[in-house]
Amino acid sequence: MNLEKIFNDFIIDARKKSIYADRKDIEEVAREALNIINNNKDATPEELVELMIKDNLNHLEDIRRKYPTPGYTVGINVSNINVKLYGGNINYLTDPMPDNALFDIASMTKFYTEVLAYNLIKEEYFSMDDKISELDNRFTNLGDLTVRDILTFAVEFRTDGRISDKKTIDEALDTLYNINVVNKGKYNYNDMGMMIMKEVMERITDKKYEDLIDEYITKPLGLNDTHIIVPQKKFKLLTGSPNVEYGRINDPSALAVGGFSGHAGIFASSDDVIKLGKAIFDTDILPNKQDAYTNDVSVARGIMGATYTSHPKGLDVSYVDNLSSTDSFAIQGSTRTHAEFAPEKAFTIMFNPSSMGVEQALIEQEKLNKTRQEKGLAPINIVKEFEFDRNGKLVKYTLIDSRQLMPSAATVEEVIKENAKTCLKLEFLKQVIDEYDKSYDKEINVEKRGM
């Protein structure tokens, strides 16, 4: 078998898919894979994969030791090659990260809401150009605002106070229903649009949001570890939120309206998120899938406004590395969760810093504010408590906003780079295997736990 010819053909093909990457960068990564194959001629496919993911695992362990996150899970799928890397703890105690942990995926939920909307549009419940106020008359101040405006995130909103400050569900929803438009036509990333869409879709279909998620996403794809309302028997698998003992997420606005909304509320395993990513390109679960990776009203944002798209400047302006193909797109959550999808490829990045516990979070907050004070910056609060009235009974939830403690550039973006490299290596390995045995279709599964 002529590996050099396979290598050269692979570079040409990869360059066509990853037009924003320099040829030398593609060659460098692919050459690493080629060297591994050449130096381990008797290795099994699984053993070759283990060698190719070694840098990933070491990098994840370095991040876990340097930054205040109890643990992590990273999943990578390239065609029939499946990798899972996980390590550390599921919480601030000593419970090790299980291989099927359920992460609070925060704003990644927005993508699920948009998938629902696209399916309901396909089934003619409403259209892109329908006015929100005509679909749902509870929204009295939205005028000619359309579904398209919301799904493309081309609108800026204003509410009468913060929804998270409202004590009852009725007060929180009343604040949402009386929302006003500040600006239209310019990209504005916010939570309000997806909160509105959740209410509209429930009103139009006469079905609950959680039932719509089941009907259009989780049941068709067999996503048994994706939940909005988490069964109590799975509470021990929850991570990424300080409220997991109640089966609740780390988002006060979602908690204010009852526990979840269209912008946040889903717990999911890495495996399930990858299944969703594969289905985007392999099935019709997302009508008009090109809207996820095609730009519209903002640089490096998809027509579906919750997605990040490829860009010549790569990670400087997006969350898609230049080694990825130009039909890749990414989704991300504030809990330091991330996923990227492309044809025959998907990967996840799931840290759980918001599970560090309040005591540790306060210690980290003090250290952070000391550094900020030395730089002349104002202190910030990482830990916040929220109290809600639920039928006359007060319940308390905690927000641990650990984004400042785990800066994206030094954590998530570094892993995006590593994952993009690993995907390229595994794509090359897949091509070598195909050339060796064109009928080889065995699933290659590799799991590695960090120390």
Side-chain angles (χ1 to χ4, degrees):
M1 183 167 53
N2 189 338
L3 287 178
E4 280 297 330
K5 183 180 184 307
I6 296 173
F7 176 83
N8 291 327
D9 290 344
F10 178 80
I11 297 302
I12 292 171
D13 188 51
R15 186 71 181 91
K16 291 177 182 177
K17 295 176 181 177
S18 307
I19 61 173
Y20 298 139
D22 290 337
R23 181 186 177 96
K24 63 179 180 61
D25 291 335
I26 296 174
E27 287 182 344
E28 181 180 345
V29 175
R31 182 66 68 180
E32 289 180 28
L34 177 60
N35 289 340
I36 288 172
I37 295 169
N38 274 327
N39 294 333
N40 299 274
K41 294 186 183 298
D42 294 328
T44 66
E46 287 79 8
E47 289 169 338
L48 292 172
V49 170
E50 286 194 27
L51 292 168
M52 290 181 185
I53 63 175
K54 186 176 179 181
D55 287 346
N56 280 68
L57 190 59
N58 290 339
H59 195 70
L60 287 164
E61 284 296 300
D62 286 344
I63 290 174
R64 184 175 68 84
R65 295 186 187 100
K66 186 174 181 180
Y67 295 94
T69 184
Y72 60 85
T73 298
V74 164
I76 301 173
N77 166 263
V78 173
S79 190
N80 64 326
I81 303 174
N82 304 293
V83 172
K84 187 186 296 180
L85 308 173
Y86 56 105
N89 298 328
I90 194 171
N91 51 31
Y92 62 96
L93 300 173
T94 56
D95 300 327
M97 181 69 70
D99 63 357
N100 59 341
L102 305 180
F103 287 78
D104 173 3
I105 62 172
S107 284
M108 287 169 64
T109 300
K110 293 181 172 75
F111 179 67
Y112 292 68
T113 301
E114 291 200 296
V115 170
L116 286 184
Y118 271 63
N119 275 280
L120 295 179
I121 290 168
K122 179 183 177 181
E123 295 184 5
E124 299 184 351
Y125 278 94
F126 50 82
S127 75
M128 279 284 195
D129 297 318
D130 281 343
K131 296 177 182 178
I132 297 296
S133 58
E134 293 177 358
L135 294 174
D136 190 338
N137 60 11
R138 294 173 298 180
F139 292 98
T140 57
N141 303 322
L142 296 187
D144 62 355
L145 187 77
T146 67
V147 172
R148 187 186 309 278
D149 293 326
I150 289 184
L151 294 184
T152 58
F153 284 63
V155 57
E156 181 182 354
F157 297 102
R158 181 180 63 244
T159 58
D160 182 14
R162 292 179 177 274
I163 289 177
S164 58
D165 289 339
K166 308 305 176 182
K167 295 301 181 184
T168 69
I169 293 174
D170 286 344
E171 288 173 352
L173 288 174
D174 187 62
T175 301
L176 180 63
Y177 296 146
N178 286 284
I179 197 168
N180 289 278
V181 173
V182 174
N183 233 323
K184 275 200 329 177
K186 183 179 179 181
Y187 186 85
N188 183 269
Y189 184 78
N190 61 74
D191 294 338
M192 298 298 105
M194 293 300 100
M195 295 183 79
I196 292 169
M197 280 309 306
K198 180 256 188 187
E199 299 297 320
V200 170
M201 291 189 294
E202 288 186 331
R203 171 63 68 94
I204 290 297
T205 63
D206 197 28
K207 296 177 182 178
K208 295 180 179 179
Y209 178 75
E210 57 268 37
D211 294 332
L212 291 171
I213 290 286
D214 280 347
E215 180 179 348
Y216 288 96
I217 300 177
T218 59
K219 286 183 179 178
L221 301 182
L223 305 184
N224 298 318
D225 285 325
T226 299
H227 301 284
I228 289 176
I229 299 173
V230 184
Q232 189 142 10
K233 64 183 180 181
K234 289 190 175 184
F235 279 17
K236 63 183 179 181
L237 297 175
L238 299 180
T239 191
S241 168
N243 306 306
V244 294
E245 62 184 295
Y246 312 112
R248 296 299 193 187
I249 59 170
N250 190 50
D251 187 288
S253 294
L255 294 171
V257 295
F260 56 87
S261 189
H263 73 290
I266 290 178
F267 282 99
S269 69
S270 173
D271 287 354
D272 267 15
V273 174
I274 284 179
K275 285 181 185 177
L276 173 63
K278 293 178 69 175
I280 295 300
F281 290 96
D282 294 344
T283 75
D284 61 354
I285 198 74
L286 174 58
N288 303 324
K289 57 180 63 66
Q290 67 273 10
D291 284 8
Y293 58 82
T294 303
N295 280 13
D296 187 30
V297 294
S298 181
V299 170
R301 286 290 195 170
I303 293 172
M304 298 177 71
T307 63
Y308 296 90
T309 61
S310 60
H311 189 275
K313 293 185 178 179
L315 294 178
D316 287 343
V317 298
S318 184
Y319 285 107
V320 178
D321 188 80
N322 279 349
L323 286 176
S324 295
S325 60
T326 51
D327 50 5
S328 301
F329 70 93
I331 54 178
Q332 194 165 103
S334 64
T335 46
R336 287 300 177 246
T337 54
H338 177 96
E340 182 176 312
F341 308 138
E344 297 191 353
K345 184 187 75 174
F347 68 72
T348 63
I349 302 168
M350 296 186 171
F351 292 109
N352 63 345
S354 296
S355 287
M356 71 178 73
V358 172
E359 183 178 343
Q360 185 62 40
L362 290 172
I363 292 172
E364 298 294 341
Q365 176 179 290
E366 184 178 354
K367 291 193 291 187
L368 175 66
N369 283 330
K370 182 178 180 181
T371 301
R372 290 178 64 87
Q373 184 181 28
E374 292 170 353
K375 295 179 179 179
L377 300 173
I380 57 176
N381 292 323
I382 300 298
V383 180
K384 299 178 183 178
E385 291 188 343
F386 294 85
E387 191 173 73
F388 301 109
D389 183 332
R390 295 294 178 260
N391 300 317
K393 182 180 179 180
L394 292 180
V395 297
K396 294 182 179 180
Y397 296 111
T398 303
L399 167 73
I400 297 181
D401 186 355
S402 50
R403 288 174 291 184
Q404 295 284 345
L405 302 178
M406 285 195 73
S408 177
T411 58
V412 175
E413 291 175 42
E414 286 298 309
V415 183
I416 292 172
K417 293 178 187 176
E418 289 295 327
N419 282 2
K421 291 177 182 177
T422 296
C423 284
L424 198 63
K425 293 176 187 176
L426 297 180
E427 287 175 281
F428 178 70
L429 175 61
K430 176 68 167 58
Q431 189 154 325
V432 172
I433 292 173
D434 287 346
E435 288 293 326
Y436 179 76
D437 182 357
K438 295 187 183 299
S439 64
Y440 189 95
D441 59 359
K442 175 187 173 184
E443 290 285 316
I444 300 170
N445 299 305
V446 175
E447 289 191 14
K448 297 293 289 185
R449 178 187 287 276
M451 300 302 293

